[in-house]
Amino acid sequence: MSDETTNETTPEAPAEAPKETRGLFGRKRKKMTMKEQIQEIMPLIYVLIIGGIGYGIYFAVTYNWAPKFELEDQRYNVHSVDFSGEKPVVIAFTDRESGNQLQGWALKLIGSYGDKIESHRIADFSKLDPGIHHVGRGMLTRLPIPILIDYDGAVAKKYGFKGGDAALFVVAPDGTIKQRALGEITDEKWAQVAAALDGLLTPTS
């Protein structure tokens, strides 16, 4: 009897079905690599980023309110600005570098509107050495008009005033900021400020 060789092969085990797990929104999907997971979630990240930026812009435009504040002037009189009156309010910030820029604005505002508007001039002392604050106050007492003093710059910071250029804000009686201007007065800047004030002073039918 001859020997017969039988070639037997071990059958391959059936391929394991991919494990299923839940996707970002509960969908069934196969097990994913880290790269695939990142690719899947990126659209959501973009939506959140763009949505957040859009919301920030919407908030800034829609809720453009002027913060209330209370400051002393150079003669120790306290001024509370809460936008509870009936007149438009003009708030002007200045510091050591931009002090001369307000003169043109002040002359134009007084000459054109007089007591039709409420105005406040604020000197930001936050960049001065506290040891010479009294010197700065003393110099301001030479001026006949009240100058509010922001010693630590807290109010200036709320309005986004960074110094170097004077900053002027036109605020409606309800506290809404209607117009901003930076630096020295020019014909173009004045036209924009005057238009905002005229719009607030013109009775609406």
Side-chain angles (χ1 to χ4, degrees), residues 69-204:
F69 60 89
E70 183 175 278
L71 292 172
E72 285 185 348
D73 65 20
Q74 72 270 47
R75 297 179 179 84
Y76 300 98
N77 299 310
V78 177
H79 298 253
S80 296
V81 181
D82 58 6
F83 311 104
S84 60
E86 299 180 354
K87 297 180 180 180
V89 181
V90 175
I91 300 172
F93 287 90
T94 186
D95 61 1
R96 181 173 55 185
E97 290 79 17
S98 60
N100 294 331
Q101 295 179 356
L102 280 189
Q103 183 176 359
W105 285 109
L107 292 174
K108 198 74 171 178
L109 287 166
I110 293 172
S112 300
Y113 295 99
D115 61 359
K116 294 179 181 178
I117 64 174
E118 176 185 335
S119 61
H120 301 280
R121 301 162 186 84
I122 301 175
D124 180 4
F125 274 22
S126 62
K127 295 180 182 178
L128 297 178
D129 188 316
I132 63 172
H133 280 175
H134 67 287
V135 177
R137 178 194 285 271
M139 295 177 65
L140 292 177
T141 57
R142 303 173 187 175
L143 301 176
I145 58 176
I147 304 295
L148 282 58
I149 302 176
D150 189 6
Y151 288 105
D152 59 3
V155 176
K157 185 176 181 180
K158 290 180 180 179
Y159 279 80
F161 177 66
K162 298 180 180 179
D165 283 316
L168 186 140
F169 298 82
V170 176
V171 185
D174 65 357
T176 306
I177 297 175
K178 295 297 185 180
Q179 185 65 46
R180 296 176 175 85
L182 294 176
E184 296 182 2
I185 189 172
T186 65
D187 291 341
E188 182 181 0
K189 293 176 186 176
W190 173 249
Q192 294 172 347
V193 168
L197 287 170
D198 290 342
L200 293 171
L201 291 169
T202 302
T204 56

